[in-house]
Amino acid sequence: MKHRVLVTGGMGFVGGRVAQSLTKSGDFSVILGSRTAQENPCWLPTSKVVVMDWSSPHSLALTCEGIDTLVHLAGLNDAESLHDPVAALEVNAVNTARLMQAAKVAGVKRVIYFSTAHVYGPGLAGRIDESTLPKCRHPYATSHLAAEDVVLAAANEHICSIVLRLSNGFGVPSHPAVNAWTLLMNDLCRQAVTLRSMTLRSTGLQWRDFITLQDVSRVVTHMIYLQKNKIGNGIFNVGSGKSSRVIEMVELIQARCTEVLGYSPEIIRPQPAEEAEFPKLDYRIDMLLNTGFILRGSPALEIDDTLRMCNQ
């Protein structure tokens, strides 16, 4: 019998790619949690879609029944959280508490929760590892940190809890309609195709840790199989372990656009002030690598596929 995995937020940007990756491996039976009734998506026809009523403990328990691993990504994004901080806590934190209670009732063995590197604070800089003190300043980060506590508090001999603090995941969405086109890398690829130029609101000299969605998806599979004695306190930074300036990624998109589509989009950005400083980010992923995980994703291939999707 295949390992049964429930992916909440499985219709979204990261969740869609995670679900595709799990299905492609052939080792998992993937269930997509959705707030509204939907048929199996065309981009993942072998999956099963279940309706989740977040206000009903009975509905959530039924959704979790027979599930071996729960991968939880459902929640409000940063823009939605900033617009309504109260809803951010309700959706991202309280709903997670409801789901964890249902998971315990249903006997789910493992929970993998996607949090965010932004729990460490805005404008990430310097060395950051899992022992770095969180400094939340945004409702998106605050609500995710609260959800982390709920997930980790549920860990006991029956359920194994894992929290993934994701840096800047990027790559082609599982389907064009996914709400991912305001994210930096996706937006730049869209601009490169539709406008034949890319406009940055900043100088592009800021440092970020970018990780391909291919590797993010592989982390999930790795965590499903990871032995309990290697999980430690359950918190893992997930990134590439190698920071890049934003402008370097923009130039990579420009180069890939030349290679894939045959033209070089113009880069438009404000020039930095002479006294401006941009401290480097060192987002440490030693805890993840020490479990035996190996990064294999190709930024160029993710960009190529995103450009092709935009072009189509």
Side-chain angles (χ1 to χ4, degrees):
M1 183 178 294
K2 289 185 177 182
H3 191 99
R4 288 171 55 84
V5 181
L6 170 64
V7 183
T8 71
M11 300 289 189
F13 178 48
V14 178
R17 285 290 300 273
V18 167
Q20 282 183 324
S21 176
L22 292 172
T23 301
K24 186 177 180 179
S25 77
D27 297 330
F28 305 100
S29 175
V30 178
I31 297 92
L32 305 178
S34 173
R35 285 175 292 180
T36 58
Q38 298 185 39
E39 298 179 352
N40 287 14
C42 62
W43 47 270
L44 202 62
T46 59
S47 66
K48 178 183 177 183
V49 178
V50 295
V51 180
M52 300 181 69
D53 182 353
W54 291 95
S55 65
S56 169
H58 178 67
S59 170
L60 295 179
L62 285 178
T63 302
C64 291
E65 196 170 281
I67 296 299
D68 298 301
T69 297
L70 165 61
V71 182
H72 182 33
L73 295 111
L76 298 187
N77 62 30
D78 56 350
E80 294 166 334
S81 297
L82 185 61
H83 177 72
D84 192 340
V86 174
L89 282 172
E90 176 70 22
V91 175
N92 295 347
V94 176
N95 280 357
T96 298
R98 292 172 176 144
L99 184 61
M100 291 304 299
Q101 185 61 36
K104 287 192 286 186
V105 170
V108 174
K109 300 178 180 66
R110 182 164 298 204
V111 174
I112 300 171
Y113 174 65
F114 269 84
S115 185
T116 170
H118 293 295
V119 299
Y120 295 115
L124 300 179
R127 179 188 171 96
I128 296 176
D129 61 26
E130 291 84 352
S131 67
T132 302
L133 182 68
K135 297 179 181 178
C136 299
R137 297 292 185 272
H138 192 287
Y140 178 70
T142 301
S143 56
H144 272 289
L145 187 62
E148 283 188 16
D149 290 339
V150 169
V151 171
L152 295 172
N156 55 39
E157 65 274 14
H158 302 299
I159 191 167
C160 178
S161 298
I162 296 172
V163 167
L164 306 180
R165 290 176 173 170
L166 181 62
S167 63
N168 291 80
F170 77 97
V172 62
S174 53
H175 55 108
V178 72
N179 182 20
W181 300 106
T182 58
L183 299 173
L184 176 64
M185 294 293 287
N186 296 67
D187 177 44
L188 290 170
C189 287
R190 179 187 57 80
Q191 288 187 50
V193 172
T194 60
L195 304 175
R196 296 206 171 197
S197 64
M198 294 179 287
T199 301
L200 290 175
R201 291 190 293 269
S202 69
T203 61
L205 298 181
Q206 305 90 334
W207 293 89
R208 298 287 185 270
D209 183 298
F210 295 94
I211 179 172
T212 65
L213 288 191
Q214 179 189 2
D215 275 333
V216 172
S217 300
R218 291 179 56 250
V219 167
V220 173
T221 302
H222 180 76
M223 289 296 169
I224 289 175
Y225 288 124
L226 189 63
Q227 296 177 356
K228 284 188 177 182
N229 62 4
K230 293 186 177 181
I231 290 175
N233 68 359
I235 300 175
F236 295 90
N237 286 350
V238 175
S240 67
K242 179 183 177 183
S243 295
S244 303
R245 291 188 186 272
V246 170
I247 189 61
E248 294 175 37
M249 300 302 289
V250 178
E251 290 169 346
L252 179 58
I253 294 174
Q254 184 184 53
R256 298 315 305 167
C257 194
T258 302
E259 178 71 22
V260 174
L261 300 179
Y263 62 87
S264 178
E266 179 186 7
I267 298 173
I268 304 169
R269 63 178 177 129
Q271 292 302 307
E274 290 185 5
E275 67 278 8
E277 295 184 0
F278 301 90
K280 191 170 183 178
L281 170 65
D282 182 15
Y283 195 66
R284 306 298 302 182
I285 59 168
D286 304 71
M287 296 283 288
L288 174 62
L289 298 179
N290 288 340
T291 66
F293 183 76
I294 300 173
L295 292 155
R296 292 177 180 157
S298 168
L301 290 180
E302 288 282 9
I303 291 170
D304 290 355
D305 288 342
T306 307
L307 289 170
R308 290 189 183 101
M309 176 177 282
C310 293
N311 195 46
Q312 291 169 2

